[in-house]
Amino acid sequence: MDWSPAPGAAVRGAVVAWHGLARTGRDMDALAAYLSGQGYRVLCPDTIGRGLSQWSPSPEAEYCLAFYARLASDLVDQLGLDRFHWVGTSMGGAIGMVCAAGALQGRIQRLVLNDIGPQLAAPAVERIRSYAGNPASFATVGELERYFRTVYKPYGHLSDAQWTLLTESSTRRLPNGRVTPHYDPAMVMQFIHHPADYELWDAYDRIDAPVLCLRGAESDLLLADTAEAMRDRGPRALVVTIEGCGHAPALNVPEQLDLVERFLSRGA
């Protein structure tokens, strides 16, 4: 999705907004609508294997942060973006860290990490891997929405309309007529063939852009001590705790949207 700046708004640059592991770029609709209204062009891709992007023909090799970062670099090059901001939820933030420390260093002006850091809690990774690698299927889309409301409850507040949008943009119909989340289950091969993919302290320490880390107060993935360490090393992130959320804040309520916009425009 490519959100143009609102008509009449002073153009303030571009933002790449990248979704989480088993999600799609449509998760960023609320953020993109808000930032485009403030004059930003906002790009919200579907990662390979998710949403409307193709599934990888080589899942063992391509479902990993290095390949995702290569796709991201190619994307911004093809779009002619020289400098831009990056907002990444979970996996999207990990891709941002790899890019900001590597191929896109100096081009990412500000980096927002939404409930992700250079070290993840192993039990939470196993929890996500267990449900993402074996997605449930349902007879109706309504049943799928009830499933999403349960598994993504840690996102915090979503209105009924937002839950419906999340479901409609995350539904894939199976050959037997049932519906399931819209991604390739093989994407969890990342954790089998690239087990150290999310050990990112070396990359984090090389980042030279300002970093905002949003941590869900009840997150089981980004632990409080990891967030504290992020304050003290590398780019010395500004860490803000988001109450009422776990993994990961949905970036869909005024307080969160304003926090991101203020950081991108002048720092929070």
Side-chain angles (χ1 to χ4, degrees):
M1 297 290 289
D2 187 344
W3 298 70
S4 299
V11 177
R12 302 168 68 186
V15 178
V16 174
W18 210 292
H19 64 82
L21 181 74
R23 301 298 310 133
T24 80
R26 298 301 303 276
D27 280 9
M28 298 296 187
D29 275 15
L31 178 69
Y34 183 79
L35 292 180
S36 64
Q38 303 297 315
Y40 291 99
R41 179 187 183 188
V42 188
L43 301 152
C44 310
D46 284 349
T47 312
I48 184 173
R50 285 80 164 178
L52 299 180
S53 287
Q54 73 178 79
W55 290 11
S56 173
S58 304
E60 300 90 346
E62 294 184 347
Y63 289 142
C64 65
L65 294 181
F67 190 75
Y68 300 154
R70 191 177 116 195
L71 292 178
S73 182
D74 289 348
L75 174 66
V76 295
D77 285 348
Q78 290 181 36
L79 293 173
L81 300 180
D82 181 38
R83 288 172 60 79
F84 47 91
H85 303 302
W86 187 291
V87 180
T89 292
S90 193
M91 179 194 73
I95 299 169
M97 281 189 277
V98 172
C99 289
L104 299 179
Q105 190 170 45
R107 295 174 64 182
I108 294 178
Q109 297 170 278
R110 288 180 174 267
L111 174 63
V112 179
L113 304 176
N114 185 25
D115 209 63
I116 188 71
Q119 179 180 329
L120 307 182
V125 172
E126 186 57 35
R127 172 182 62 80
I128 294 170
R129 175 181 164 182
S130 66
Y131 79 73
N134 299 283
S137 67
F138 302 91
T140 69
V141 175
E143 291 172 355
L144 178 60
E145 180 175 331
R146 287 192 287 276
Y147 167 77
F148 283 143
R149 285 176 179 254
T150 299
V151 75
Y152 294 133
K153 185 177 179 180
Y155 281 13
H157 171 75
L158 278 77
S159 67
D160 287 343
Q162 288 170 333
W163 280 118
T164 298
L165 173 62
L166 183 150
T167 303
E168 290 176 347
S169 60
S170 308
T171 299
R172 177 171 67 90
R173 191 165 297 277
L174 297 167
N176 64 4
R178 294 173 68 83
V179 290
T180 193
H182 203 341
Y183 62 83
D184 179 3
M187 57 88 176
V188 297
M189 287 186 179
Q190 177 180 21
F191 299 102
I192 299 170
H193 298 281
H194 308 272
D197 231 12
Y198 286 88
E199 297 173 10
L200 293 172
W201 280 117
D202 287 345
Y204 180 78
D205 288 340
R206 294 196 304 273
I207 295 172
D208 59 5
V211 174
L212 169 65
C213 175
L214 305 177
R215 179 181 179 270
E218 301 161 24
S219 176
D220 63 344
L221 190 77
L222 176 60
L223 300 183
D225 58 352
T226 301
E228 284 300 316
M230 293 169 69
R231 296 181 195 264
D232 299 329
R233 57 187 285 185
R236 298 182 181 274
L238 171 64
V239 179
V240 178
T241 300
I242 306 297
E243 298 296 335
C245 297
H247 182 74
L251 304 182
N252 66 331
V253 296
E255 295 81 3
Q256 296 171 24
L257 298 172
D258 183 61
L259 182 62
V260 171
E261 190 277 329
R262 285 191 292 114
F263 176 76
L264 298 184
S265 64
R266 61 187 180 277

